[in-house]
C-alpha cells in the first residue's frame, strides 16, 4: 500500500505553485474573463510562462543531470492542480503540454530525442506543441483506427536521400499553434501500414520554411489559449527530425501516460476552484436570515462538490503513482480513467456552482459560468470522454 502524504519537497512545490498561480495567473485570467478573450493572448501569457519556466515548472520531467527537476508524475499532478485552479487553459496548454512533451523525446529511444532533451533543458521557456489531428479525419480515429490503413492521420512524410519531406494540414485545434517554438508532428511515414505502425513523430522548429500557422479556432472558454491549424507545404527536414523509430509514433504516445494525467490534474484544479467559489458565495449570500450554505439544498451541493474533488484527485494520484510502479497499467487504464473522471467532476462541479449562485451563476460577473464553459472543453480535448471509455473497455475485454 502507498500513502498520499506529500513529502516536504512536494509541499514546497505546492506552496510555490499556489503562490505563483495567485500572483501571476489568476489576475490575468480574471481580466480575460471580464474583458473577453484577447485577440492574441500569447504576448500577455509569455511573461507568466517565462516566470513559471524559471521556477522549473516546464523542466519538471527533465532529468537532474541535464539541469531539470527530475520530477515524478505525482509532482506534476500536485503542481498542475494548483495552476489549473487558477486558470485551466493556461495551465493545461502552456504548462502541462510543454512539461510533458519532453517525455516523448525521452521515451522515443533515439539519439534525436536525447539531443532535443538537452536543447530543451538549456531553454526551458521554449513552448512546445503536439499535432496529430487533421481537418478531414475524425480526431477519434487516432485512437479507434484499428488495423485498417485507410484510417487515421494522412499528413504525408516522404523519405528522401538526406531526410524527409512533410506535406499536409493539421486541424485548427493545434494547441499553442503560433506561440510554440517547436512542434512534434505526427505524420504518415508508411501509408500502407495502420495507425499503430504507419505513423512517425517529427520535431519541427516553428521557423522551418514551408510550415505556416493557418486558421485559428475560437473556443467557448480558455480565453488565454491559442489553437490554430498548421499547414505544411513541402517541409524539408533533416533525417534527425525523426524522433524515435520510423512507424513508432503510436507506441511512443502510449508510453507517456503523464500527458493525460497532467491534463487531468489541471481539471482537478478546476473542480476545486468551482467548489471554493460556490462555498465562498454560499457563506456570504443570505436567505431567510441565514447564509444559504445553512440551507440543505445548498449544503448538499457543497458536500457533493467536495466529494467530486476528492474523487478526481484520487484517480489522478492513483494513476500518477502507477507511472512509477506499473506504467503499462497507468497508460492503458488509469490515465484515461483519470482524465475522463477529472473532466466529469469538473463539469459537475461547475454545474453545481452555477446552481449555488442562483441568478448570479449565469452572469459573466461571477466565475461559475466561466468554469462551466472551461470544464466542457475538457470533454473532447485529448480524446472525447466516450472514446476514452471505449478504449478502457477494449483494454478490459481484450477486444480491438
Ligand atoms: C481544446 C482542444 C485542444 C486540442 N488540442 C489538440 C492538439 O494540441 N493537438 C491535436 O492534434 N489535437 C488537438 N485537439 C483535437 C482533439 O484531440 C480532438 O478534438 C478529439 O480527439 C476529438 O476529435 P474530433 O473533434 O475530430 O471529434 P470526432 O472524432 O469527430 O468525434 C465526434 C463524436 O463522435 C464520437 N466518435 C467518433 N469516432 C468514434 C468511434 N470510432 N467510435 C465511437 N464514437 C466515436 C466522439 O466520441 C464524439 O462524440 C484539441 C481539441 C480541443 C477541443
Amino acid at each position: 500500500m502507498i500513502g498520499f502524504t506529500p513529502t516536504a519537497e512536494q509541499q514546497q512545490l505546492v506552496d510555490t505553485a499556489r503562490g505563483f498561480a495567485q500572483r501571476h495567473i489568476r489576475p490575468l485570467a480574471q481580466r480575460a474573463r471580464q474583458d473577453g478573450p484577447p485577440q492574441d493572448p500569447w504576448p500577455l501569457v509569455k511573461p507568466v510562462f517565462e516566470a513559471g519556466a524559471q521556477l522549473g515548472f516546464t523542466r519538471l520531467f527533465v532529468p537532474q543531470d541535464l539541469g531539470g527537476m527530475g520530477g515524478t508524475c505525482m509532482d506534476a499532478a500536485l503542481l498542475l492542480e494548483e495552476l489549473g485552479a487558477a486558470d485551466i487553459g493556461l495551465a493545461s496548454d502552456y504548462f502541462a503540454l510543454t512539461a510533458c512533451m519532453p517525455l516523448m523525446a525521452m521515451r522515443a529511444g533515439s539519439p534525436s530525442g536525447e539531443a532535443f532533451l538537452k536543447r530543451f533543458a538549456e531553454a526551458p521557456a521554449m513552448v512546445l506543441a503536439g499535432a496529430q489531428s487533421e481537418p478531414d479525419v475524425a480526431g477519434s480515429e487516432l485512437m479507434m483506427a484499428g488495423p485498417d490503413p485507410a484510417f487515421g492521420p494522412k499528413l504525408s512524410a516522404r523519405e528522401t536521400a538526406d531526410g524527409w519531406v512533410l506535406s499536409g494540414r493539421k486541424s485548427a485545434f493545434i494547441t499553442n499553434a503560433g506561440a510554440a517554438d517547436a512542434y512534434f508532428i505526427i505524420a504518415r511515414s508508411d501509408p500502407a501500414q495502420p495507425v499503430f505502425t504507419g505513423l512517425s513523430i517529427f520535431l519541427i522548429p516553428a521557423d522551418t520554411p514551408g510550415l505556416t500557422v493557418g486558421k485559428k479556432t475560437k473556443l467557448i472558454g480558455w480565453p488565454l489559449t491559442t489553437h490554430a491549424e498548421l499547414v505544411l507545404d513541402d517541409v524539408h527536414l533533416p533525417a534527425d527530425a525523426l524522433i524515435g523509430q520510423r512507424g513508432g509514433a503510436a507506441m511512443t504516445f502510449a508510453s507517456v501516460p503523464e500527458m493525460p494525467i497532467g491534463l487531468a490534474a489541471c481539471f482537478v484544479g478546476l473542480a476545486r476552484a468551482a467548489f471554493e467559489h460556490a462555498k465562498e458565495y454560499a457563506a456570504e449570500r443570505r436567505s431567510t436570515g441565514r447564509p444559504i450554505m445553512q440551507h440543505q439544498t445548498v449544503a448538499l451541493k457543497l458536500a457533493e462538490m467536495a466529494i467530486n474533488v476528492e474523487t478526481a484527485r484520487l484517480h489522478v494520484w492513483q494513476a500518477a503513482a502507477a507511472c512509477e510502479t506499473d506504467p503499462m497499467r497507468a497508460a492503458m487504464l488509469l490515465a484515461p480513467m483519470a482524465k475522463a473522471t477529472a473532466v466529469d467532476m469538473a463539469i459537475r462541479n461547475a454545474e453545481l456552482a452555477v446552481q449555488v449562485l442562483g441568478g448570479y451563476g449565469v452572469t459573466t460577473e461571477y466565475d461559475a459560468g466561466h468554469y462551466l464553459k472551461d470544464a466542457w472543453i475538457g470533454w473532447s480535448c485529448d480524446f472525447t470522454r466516450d472514446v476514452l471509455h471505449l478504449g478502457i473497455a477494449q483494454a478490459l475485454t481484450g477486444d480491438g
Side-chain angles (χ1 to χ4, degrees):
M1 289 296 284
I2 47 167
F4 282 134
T5 308
T7 62
E9 290 80 19
Q10 286 173 330
Q11 193 53 53
Q12 198 181 350
L13 178 66
V14 169
D15 295 343
T16 304
R18 191 170 293 183
F20 175 84
Q22 282 303 328
R23 265 194 319 281
H24 296 284
I25 302 182
R26 194 136 178 89
L28 203 59
Q30 289 289 11
R31 196 149 19 105
R33 283 179 197 141
Q34 295 311 319
D35 301 349
Q39 195 62 27
D40 180 6
W42 176 233
L44 298 173
V45 173
K46 193 168 185 253
V48 173
F49 181 76
E50 287 173 350
Q54 281 289 327
L55 290 171
F57 296 169
T58 55
R59 274 175 299 142
L60 194 77
F61 287 119
V62 176
Q64 276 176 329
D65 57 1
L66 291 182
M69 310 274 281
T72 61
C73 191
M74 190 66 86
D75 298 330
L78 294 167
L79 165 72
L80 292 168
E81 177 181 328
E82 296 307 323
L83 305 189
D87 186 67
I88 179 79
L90 199 151
S92 63
D93 278 15
Y94 300 101
F95 284 109
L97 191 60
T98 298
C100 290
M101 275 291 169
L103 285 170
M104 201 119 70
M106 246 160 91
R107 306 236 167 102
S110 66
S112 55
E114 283 165 30
F116 167 74
L117 203 62
K118 286 188 188 135
R119 287 203 301 282
F120 180 78
E122 285 162 13
M126 193 189 259
V127 179
L128 301 176
Q132 318 146 37
S133 51
E134 298 183 5
D136 300 322
V137 180
S140 309
E141 261 189 37
L142 193 75
M143 181 88 110
M144 308 305 293
D148 191 335
F151 300 138
K154 303 283 184 292
L155 189 141
S156 93
R158 188 167 47 81
E159 195 166 14
T160 62
D162 58 352
W164 295 86
V165 178
L166 267 61
S167 291
R169 300 173 98 82
K170 288 294 177 187
S171 85
F173 282 109
I174 305 310
T175 298
N176 297 341
D181 297 294
Y183 297 91
F184 286 79
I185 294 191
I186 304 284
R188 200 94 194 183
S189 44
D190 293 285
Q193 292 289 321
V195 155
F196 195 67
T197 47
L199 301 175
S200 301
I201 303 175
F202 294 89
L203 178 67
I204 310 188
D207 57 2
T208 304
L211 173 68
T212 49
V213 175
K215 182 176 157 263
K216 285 191 175 181
T217 295
K218 284 197 190 317
L219 299 176
I220 56 171
W222 297 22
L224 294 169
T225 64
T226 152
H227 301 87
E229 197 179 26
L230 290 179
V231 183
L232 287 87
D233 185 10
D234 277 349
V235 174
H236 288 256
L237 299 172
D240 66 2
L242 175 69
I243 298 287
Q245 304 304 311
R246 177 183 183 142
M251 279 296 277
T252 300
F253 256 83
S255 72
V256 188
E258 289 88 346
M259 196 89 83
I261 297 170
L263 184 58
C266 296
F267 280 92
V268 177
L270 177 54
R272 190 183 93 194
F275 164 61
E276 285 167 357
H277 177 51
K279 187 163 157 257
E280 213 172 283
Y281 183 87
E284 292 292 321
R285 181 75 167 167
R286 297 175 74 82
S287 166
T288 57
R290 41 195 178 134
I292 58 169
M293 64 160 49
Q294 289 179 15
H295 292 291
Q296 258 189 16
T297 54
V298 173
L300 290 177
K301 287 183 180 57
L302 294 176
E304 184 185 335
M305 292 170 94
I307 293 167
N308 291 343
V309 173
E310 297 299 336
T311 303
R313 188 183 283 139
L314 282 175
H315 261 274
V316 168
W317 285 6
Q318 184 195 17
C323 285
E324 312 304 317
T325 55
D326 190 350
M328 180 69 95
R329 182 169 150 77
M332 300 305 290
L333 280 177
L334 300 177
M337 282 181 185
K339 193 262 172 173
T341 305
V343 172
D344 279 352
M345 296 299 107
I347 292 173
R348 182 67 183 142
N349 273 12
E351 283 172 354
L352 289 168
V354 167
Q355 293 169 26
V356 168
L357 268 75
Y360 293 100
V362 289
T363 64
T364 54
E365 192 187 335
Y366 284 83
D367 284 340
H370 298 290
Y371 289 145
L372 190 57
K373 289 192 279 185
D374 284 353
W376 268 106
I377 291 173
W379 197 90
S380 48
C381 77
D382 204 11
F383 298 115
T384 68
R385 175 191 192 275
D386 289 347
V387 162
L388 290 176
H389 279 220
L390 279 176
I392 293 164
Q394 285 176 354
L396 290 170
T397 59
D399 179 19

